[in-house]
Amino acid sequence: MLNLSVEGLTLVVQNHYGILIVAVLSITITSLLLKAWGSTVDTTDEDGIPGRLGLPFFGETFSFFSASYSTKGCYDFVKQRRKQYGKWFKTRILGKTHVFVPSVEGAKTILANDFVHFNKSYVKSMADATGAMSVFSVPHKIHTRIRRLLSDPFSMSSLSKFAVKFDKMVCERLDKLEKSGKSFRVIDFSLKITFDAIVSMLMSVTENPLLEQIEKDCTDVSNSMLSIPLMIPGTRYYKGMKGREKLNETFGNMIARRRSGEEYFDDFLQTMVYRDSYPEDEKLDDQEIIDNLITLILAGQTTTASAMMWCVKFLSENKDVLDRLREEQLSIVRNKAEGASLTLEDLTEKSYGFKVVKETLRMANVLIWLPRVAMDDCIIDGKSPLFKTTTSILEFKSVNANFHHCLQGLR
């Protein structure tokens, strides 16, 4: 039997004070969490939508992020809950209740009423990654102005010149890969080629090491878009915010050199700087330019690369569709000079190719999560998401959907 005097027990407590405090706190916190978890299990409130809100604030955040950064993606998070609750379900992510809307009609209702009955509702990490003056984050009135000014430089003449440039970039890199005889991942190739193309189009950066540095910083920012927004060294959020600081400095220096006349390129950034003498509502300030450069890179790269990857996958599974698309391409090439690049006019003639792209986008989502917050009580497909509840549009494609069969209907 253990026999300790009062003095001995006091000495033990003093020597292990820190450990005892941690143990007591751990037991207390664990008890509170278990109690909270027990009180927030599967629920169906007055809105009639089942689901699990989980722990206060955190909810199912960790499960959502874990799935998002796994090979299965956030679809696995949704799939598991749809098996348990049905197509409609709710959850809590980073302190906000999310109702997942599963239907096309529901998505149309929400998006058709953007800025009226619904508003954008991005998690803090997303908003911080793109920036306070990004077209993703600003209020409706400012959004309209920024979106208009961002779209102005993308004229038909600009797109026509870039179509030729992009065709050359792709051909050169595919030739290089063919000569190397090495296999490669389509998604890696797509991400790299789209990043280089977007940065070239926006600010004419084509040479290393600057291109590599911008890519690294943008990757860190992109990886932080779904993360716990805590500035803890080593975390995705911390790396993303540090990457943003570097991009702010890099792009700010570019703007300064363009403005002083030290550099000049016929690109998107130059058109923004050129507006310095315009009225306030007809130009963007430096931070608006920087935030939206980052936004255009992040949004353009991931969506375009995903679409390219899925298109290759579906074509590889449907040989007759691939053969027809190849024949359309060859028919255009036969009427061009040897080695000539595709032009924007050539692309407009690819009617079947256009249908292949549309069918790819129908079959595979390139935007996996579109959160909107309900500004008023509303009814969607007979369901009633409550006021200020975030509705997350996430439409699953039918397991019976067939790329080839659906494409035949488009011919």
Side-chain angles (χ1 to χ4, degrees), residues 3 11-12 16 44 71 85 111 178 199 256 288 308 316 362 375-376:
N3 186 13
L11 183 61
V12 169
H16 301 281
T44 301
T71 55
Y85 305 116
L111 295 178
E178 184 180 15
V199 173
E288 287 175 328
M308 291 169 66
S316 70
R362 189 192 72 82
M375 304 307 294
D376 304 286

Side-chain angles (χ1 to χ4, degrees), residues 340-398:
S341 297
L342 286 176
T343 64
L344 189 61
E345 291 72 24
D346 294 328
L347 295 177
T348 59
E349 293 179 13
K350 298 185 67 171
S351 59
Y352 191 69
F354 180 66
K355 293 171 183 176
V356 168
V357 172
K358 288 187 68 175
E359 181 64 2
T360 297
L361 296 177
R362 189 192 72 82
M363 285 286 292
N365 293 333
V366 296
L367 283 174
I368 61 173
W369 197 31
L370 289 172
R372 293 292 189 270
V373 63
M375 304 307 294
D376 304 286
D377 288 346
C378 59
I379 297 177
I380 303 173
D381 287 356
K383 303 290 184 179
S384 303
L386 297 180
F387 175 58
K388 289 297 182 183
T389 294
T390 301
T391 53
S392 297
I393 304 169
L394 189 49
E395 166 61 13
F396 269 75
K397 307 305 176 186
S398 168

